[in-house]
Amino acid sequence: MSSEPRDQERDGAKCRALDNDLVWAIRMISAALRRAAADAAETLPGGSRAYLVLMALDETEDKPPTQLELAGQVGLDRTVMTYLLDDLEGLGLLSRRPNPQDRRSRHVILTDDGRAQLQRVRTDLAAAEERLLAELSEEERARFRVLLARVALTAQRSTLGG
């Protein structure tokens, strides 16, 4: 008597269990996106961390953040942030200016070269995202992004103690 149907049934149950496991799903998505981000940002000092910094600066262009605010926004230790900003500033991708309200802190501002590098990385990442989300319709992609952003904001608040 062959155990092949039973093995297939057990393997099918494992797949169904993984299909519904949030930890597994997020890990697979995260790994794929981390690889894509690392490849896209490989020419930036700090790789994908630099991408996150440039992206955050682009989003806050009307109100430049301080180094400390930026570190909190992207989830980096302030010491790591200082070294990363030094490297990015050395390449002309951002600049730091004294905060008029508090001369001890500095506002971080994205330069035109930084914006161009950010656009290059975004283009590469968009292609990777397109491959990753290929199984979803446009409507599903949009809904997935909205839901994922909501969950990410909840996670960020809980990480920050809020």
Side-chain angles (χ1 to χ4, degrees):
M1 184 171 148
S2 170
S3 66
E4 187 175 315
R6 179 175 279 160
D7 291 342
Q8 288 175 344
E9 183 178 309
R10 210 174 23 241
D11 289 345
K14 286 179 187 175
C15 285
R16 283 190 299 279
L18 284 179
D19 287 348
N20 292 309
D21 188 279
L22 187 60
V23 172
W24 175 81
I26 289 175
R27 182 180 174 98
M28 293 297 105
I29 294 167
S30 178
L33 286 175
R34 269 197 317 273
R35 282 190 305 273
D39 290 347
E42 71 182 349
T43 61
L44 296 174
S48 59
R49 287 178 174 173
Y51 164 72
L52 292 175
V53 167
L54 296 178
M55 186 182 68
L57 290 175
D58 192 47
E59 297 294 319
T60 59
E61 191 173 14
D62 55 331
K63 185 182 182 295
T66 64
Q67 288 183 199
L68 190 57
E69 290 168 341
L70 185 60
Q73 189 176 1
V74 298
L76 288 177
D77 176 82
R78 65 183 184 179
T79 304
V80 171
M81 178 61 78
T82 299
Y83 289 118
L84 181 57
L85 294 179
D86 288 346
D87 291 343
L88 292 170
E89 188 173 34
L91 292 174
L93 303 180
L94 59 83
S95 65
R96 291 181 276 193
R97 297 193 184 125
N99 179 350
Q101 282 76 39
D102 180 359
R103 292 267 179 204
R104 295 170 296 172
S105 69
R106 299 189 165 282
H107 283 147
V108 185
I109 300 157
L110 188 64
T111 65
D112 289 341
D113 286 346
R115 201 168 282 103
Q117 284 295 319
L118 175 61
Q119 186 54 49
R120 181 193 58 76
V121 174
R122 278 184 168 157
T123 299
D124 291 350
L125 284 174
E129 288 175 13
E130 185 72 25
R131 290 187 302 273
L132 184 63
L133 301 176
E135 297 293 320
L136 303 178
S137 69
E138 288 300 319
E139 183 180 314
E140 289 171 325
R141 290 176 192 198
R143 187 74 180 138
F144 177 73
R145 288 175 189 277
V146 167
L147 294 172
L148 193 59
R150 284 175 49 195
V151 172
L153 289 171
T154 299
Q156 183 183 42
R157 282 192 302 271
S158 69
T159 300
L160 298 175

